[in-house]
Amino acid sequence: MPKLVCITAGFTDRVFDVKTEKGTLGRLEENTFCIPEPSVSSRHCELWAKGDEIVIKDLGSTNGSFINDAQLAAEKEATLRPGQTLRLGQVELRYETGKKQTDQPRPVVKIGAEAAAAPSSKGASFGKKTNNTNKIFLAVGAVLVIVILALLFVAFSAIGGGATGQ
């Protein structure tokens, strides 16, 4: 049976058996597969088994879904093949079929404080999507400050001009 084995430190006890019915993977417990890690979106992706492959569909996640470092397009299906790695945010899962298991230990990917101490081989940083709302608020605020300063200048000019004329 196709399964996703979590290889990220702190989650290595998680193994997900992928069935032919569609399931969701995300941070919330209401998903078919739950990974409670902040870089994983609440409903990160949809997945199901199709033969010896797993079909993955990113559901518009914040930090994206990657197969062997290639990012999946949002709302598009991609195929995960045996031995490939699926990365959701900072969490990595390896696809295993159980047919050709090796005796090699699983690589462990560090996250959080452990990752900050160790150099990253990915070079990718994760964060929230850029928020244009903050830029808009800053622009509106700057315009308001300029308008207030202009009004104060006009008001003081009128007071100053009126005082010298008397």
Side-chain angles (χ1 to χ4, degrees), residues 101-154:
Q101 293 293 334
T102 62
D103 294 330
Q104 297 177 356
R106 296 179 183 144
V108 176
V109 180
K110 297 179 181 179
I111 61 171
E114 295 173 342
S120 173
S121 62
K122 299 274 183 266
S125 62
F126 296 99
K128 293 185 178 179
K129 290 181 182 176
T130 56
N131 192 348
N132 289 332
T133 307
N134 288 340
K135 293 176 185 175
I136 292 170
F137 279 122
L138 286 174
V140 169
V143 169
L144 286 175
V145 168
I146 292 170
V147 168
I148 291 170
L149 289 175
L151 288 173
L152 287 173
F153 178 75
V154 169

Side-chain angles (χ1 to χ4, degrees), residues 3-138:
K3 60 184 172 184
L4 290 174
V5 178
C6 196
I7 57 174
T8 300
F11 297 101
T12 54
D13 61 330
R14 296 180 187 264
V15 177
F16 306 112
D17 291 328
V18 182
K19 300 184 182 346
T20 55
E21 305 89 41
K22 288 183 181 181
T24 57
L25 197 152
R27 188 176 64 241
L28 300 180
E29 289 185 26
E30 64 194 37
N31 290 290
T32 311
F33 309 112
C34 176
I35 301 178
E37 206 284 319
S39 68
V40 176
S41 292
S42 45
R43 277 182 42 94
H44 201 102
C45 66
E46 198 172 57
L47 63 157
W48 62 95
K50 188 175 182 181
D52 275 346
E53 300 174 337
I54 297 177
V55 180
I56 308 287
K57 180 179 177 184
D58 185 272
L59 298 175
S61 63
T62 300
N63 291 321
S65 300
F66 299 80
I67 294 178
N68 288 351
D69 294 326
Q71 186 166 11
L72 280 63
E75 301 299 327
K76 300 283 184 188
E77 295 177 5
T79 304
L80 183 67
R81 291 179 177 82
Q84 289 185 319
T85 302
L86 172 65
R87 181 165 45 95
L88 309 174
Q90 294 182 4
V91 176
E92 288 193 351
L93 304 113
R94 186 177 55 239
Y95 172 30
E96 296 180 1
T97 61
K99 293 179 182 177
K100 294 183 181 179
Q101 293 293 334
T102 62
D103 294 330
Q104 297 177 356
R106 296 179 183 144
V108 176
V109 180
K110 297 179 181 179
I111 61 171
E114 295 173 342
S120 173
S121 62
K122 299 274 183 266
S125 62
F126 296 99
K128 293 185 178 179
K129 290 181 182 176
T130 56
N131 192 348
N132 289 332
T133 307
N134 288 340
K135 293 176 185 175
I136 292 170
F137 279 122
L138 286 174

